[in-house]
Amino acid sequence: MTSTAQAPKPGARTAHPDHLGHVIFIAAAAAMGGFLFGYDSSVINGAVEAIRGRYDVGSAALAQVIAIALIGCAIGAATAGRIADRIGRIRCMQIAAVLFTISAVGSALPFALWDLAFWRVVGGFAIGMASVIGPAYIAEVAPPAYRGRLGSFQQAAIVIGIAVSQLVNWGLLNAADGDQRGKLMGLEAWQVMLGVMVVPAILYGLLSFAIPESPRFLISVGKHERAREILAEVEGTDVDLDARVAEIEGAMKSEHRSSFKDLLGGSFFFKPIVWIGIGLSVFQQFVGINVAFYYSSTLWQSVGVDPTDSFFYSFTTSIINILGTVIAMIFVDRIGRRPLAIIGSVGMVVGLALEAWAFSYHLVDGKLPAAQGWIALIAAHIFVLFFALSWGVVVWVMLGEMFPNRIRAAALGVAAAAQWIANWAITASFPSLAEWNLSMTYVIYTAFAALSIPFVLKFVKETKGKTLEEMG
């Protein structure tokens, strides 16, 4: 606390913590939920063909088992905010960690296809919670001067989680001599792949006991003294802590709780700005990005790639995803959201069109011709790179910025729900579409990537450098 004789410091906007490393640790621990988000979302990639063989199911039923986790994601995301407001951010993280652990054990030891699907829903609920609580908690504990950089930990953790899951899958497949149903530790290899998530899930739970509760939540439940202690910990002791507590309390009292009713208006049910947010979410998914993370090993095997090599290519794709995300984090504030989105769309059109062309060739002895096979592989990496450096990051940045203050929370909820629904539509439809015509499936994804360009040019406004208040 500052003494009364001392002039108060400028405040939170210029606050610098006494121990920045500790604040980084707090943000990284919270972002562990993002790591599990990425890991659990994509680990199923290594088990798709084994599940098909183990339970003798067709493409439509298999797709539902893969996609059903997204129903849990939507429910988890919709309820996490209320749970966190009622019992606290840390307790919410601990519930998610328990659900991740239960899902990992249940998925590794299923009795039948239906209970595997059930454990996928449980894991999806945890993903949905982690997708909401991680960014919210980091935003509430991060000093404003570092909020952008610390906030990016969540997205970085997600793409690292995707990469690690593919690396683990590849390592376990090698240990099982290239057979997804080969024996490892008394189980089939795919079961071990799904069960390994127990390790990061338990680590997430343990880390949640090592970080403080959000000052904002503590103030909301009347624990002002504890809130002061944590503000001193994360913003520095030279800040006027009483003024900070009063500032947060005042902001909370004056907040307008946006509701669904606030979004209504205009010619087509929702206000135009809400439709633009929905459009961004839908285009982000309809280019088929999650096919690259849920089905890539199956995709490569379907065109004759050896299973072990297909797992390795899934891992290299996820490394490209990390690289693209880093590029986006560097340039999103430099060149702006719209230019980055358009650059990404153009690159995705090229990558997807090349994949569609390569997959149009007939298989020879169960494989694509060598030239087309290499072009398909390179094009897939081009597609993921351009998605990651643009739409993967830009959409979330814009959804957080583009809505007026009065409707921001409710509009963001609707746009996020649209994203989960679009994700489900692509995930559930891919196996059947690929069985029908793999090349035409990629033509459809190419068309959506191409349509995203005029959509951005006509409807999306640049938000770079504007305050949130200017959005209203």
Side-chain angles (χ1 to χ4, degrees):
M1 299 249 319
T2 51
S3 70
T4 51
Q6 212 175 358
K9 298 286 179 183
R13 195 175 290 272
T14 55
H16 293 279
D18 299 329
H19 305 287
L20 181 57
H22 179 59
V23 178
I24 291 171
F25 168 77
I26 291 171
M32 191 71 191
F35 176 90
L36 282 158
F37 176 168
Y39 194 100
D40 193 26
S41 295
S42 62
V43 70
I44 194 68
N45 188 13
V48 174
E49 289 307 303
I51 291 169
R52 190 199 298 270
R54 168 86 171 258
Y55 298 106
D56 192 26
V57 292
S59 294
L62 179 68
Q64 294 309 316
V65 174
I66 307 305
I68 200 168
L70 299 168
I71 295 172
C73 292
I75 298 169
T79 57
R82 284 190 180 178
I83 294 171
D85 283 342
R86 185 158 294 186
I87 64 174
R89 283 53 166 157
I90 299 298
R91 287 282 177 269
C92 195
M93 289 182 201
Q94 290 162 355
I95 290 170
V98 169
L99 293 177
F100 275 123
T101 304
I102 292 171
S103 170
V105 174
S107 298
L109 304 170
F111 300 106
L113 193 63
W114 68 265
D115 84 300
L116 173 60
F118 173 76
W119 298 122
R120 294 272 301 146
V121 173
V122 172
F125 191 93
I127 290 172
M129 290 182 76
S131 72
V132 170
I133 199 62
Y137 173 84
I138 293 171
E140 290 178 357
V141 299
Y146 298 94
R147 184 171 295 143
R149 282 164 285 182
L150 294 175
S152 68
F153 279 25
Q154 175 80 358
Q155 181 64 21
I158 292 170
V159 296
I160 291 169
I162 292 170
V164 170
S165 73
Q166 301 312 306
L167 180 60
V168 169
N169 284 356
W170 179 58
L172 290 172
L173 187 71
N174 275 295
D177 298 322
D179 183 0
Q180 291 180 37
R181 298 193 61 190
K183 290 295 180 182
L184 281 178
M185 296 182 280
L187 299 171
E188 293 185 4
W190 70 272
Q191 294 176 274
V192 179
M193 290 174 190
L194 299 184
V196 164
M197 195 179 69
V198 165
V199 177
I202 291 173
L203 178 60
Y204 180 41
L206 293 174
L207 285 170
S208 71
F209 287 97
I211 58 178
E213 183 53 87
S214 155
R216 188 181 176 88
F217 171 74
L218 291 169
I219 291 169
S220 74
V221 294
K223 296 183 178 179
H224 292 70
E225 194 52 47
R226 180 60 183 145
R228 283 189 193 90
E229 292 171 10
I230 294 166
L231 285 167
E233 195 178 316
V234 299
E235 293 188 3
T237 51
D238 60 346
V239 173
D240 187 333
L241 299 175
D242 288 329
R244 280 293 288 127
V245 170
E247 182 186 3
I248 293 169
E249 201 165 22
M252 289 169 67
K253 284 177 182 174
S254 65
E255 275 178 358
H256 169 77
R257 280 190 170 275
S258 56
S259 67
F260 187 78
K261 200 183 295 182
D262 294 323
L263 308 182
L264 307 181
S267 314
F268 300 99
F269 192 65
F270 286 131
K271 294 179 188 296
I273 190 68
V274 179
W275 281 116
I276 293 169
I278 291 170
L280 285 169
S281 288
V282 169
F283 274 117
Q284 188 200 49
Q285 295 300 316
F286 275 16
V287 296
I289 186 59
N290 279 311
V291 168
F293 300 122
Y294 297 162
Y295 295 113
S296 59
S297 61
T298 298
L299 173 66
W300 296 125
Q301 288 172 55
S302 74
V303 292
V305 175
D306 173 81
T308 304
D309 288 342
S310 74
F311 275 52
F312 179 70
Y313 296 148
S314 296
F315 171 62
T316 59
T317 302
S318 60
I319 294 298
I320 293 293
N321 189 32
I322 294 174
L323 177 63
T325 301
V326 171
I327 293 170
M329 288 162 62
I330 291 169
F331 288 105
V332 70
D333 284 323
R334 295 187 183 182
I335 68 173
R337 286 65 161 145
R338 287 177 83 241
L340 209 53
I342 292 165
I343 290 167
S345 293
V346 172
M348 288 192 294
V349 167
V350 172
L352 288 166
L354 285 171
E355 283 191 87
W357 172 79
F359 292 141
S360 69
Y361 279 72
H362 292 294
L363 304 185
V364 179
D365 297 327
K367 296 184 178 183
L368 278 176
Q372 283 70 30
W374 278 108
I375 287 171
L377 186 61
I378 293 166
H381 285 72
I382 290 171
F383 163 58
V384 170
L385 175 65
F386 277 93
F387 175 87
L389 65 79
S390 60
W391 286 74
V393 170
V394 163
V395 169
W396 285 111
V397 172
M398 295 200 75
L399 290 179
E401 295 174 334
M402 65 187 283
F403 301 115
N405 281 335
R406 193 171 58 82
I407 66 167
R408 180 168 293 116
L412 187 50
V414 168
Q419 195 169 113
W420 288 119
I421 293 166
N423 188 341
W424 173 83
I426 291 297
T427 305
S429 64
F430 176 74
S432 297
L433 283 172
E435 219 170 59
W436 162 66
N437 190 317
L438 183 58
S439 178
M440 280 306 299
T441 301
Y442 273 83
V443 168
I444 293 169
Y445 299 154
T446 305
F448 278 110
L451 287 170
S452 70
I453 298 171
F455 175 80
V456 170
L457 290 172
K458 183 169 176 58
F459 298 111
V460 179
K461 293 181 180 176
E462 181 58 72
T463 56
K464 173 193 167 189
K466 294 183 180 180
T467 66
L468 296 182
E469 286 67 37
E470 287 179 86
M471 298 299 120

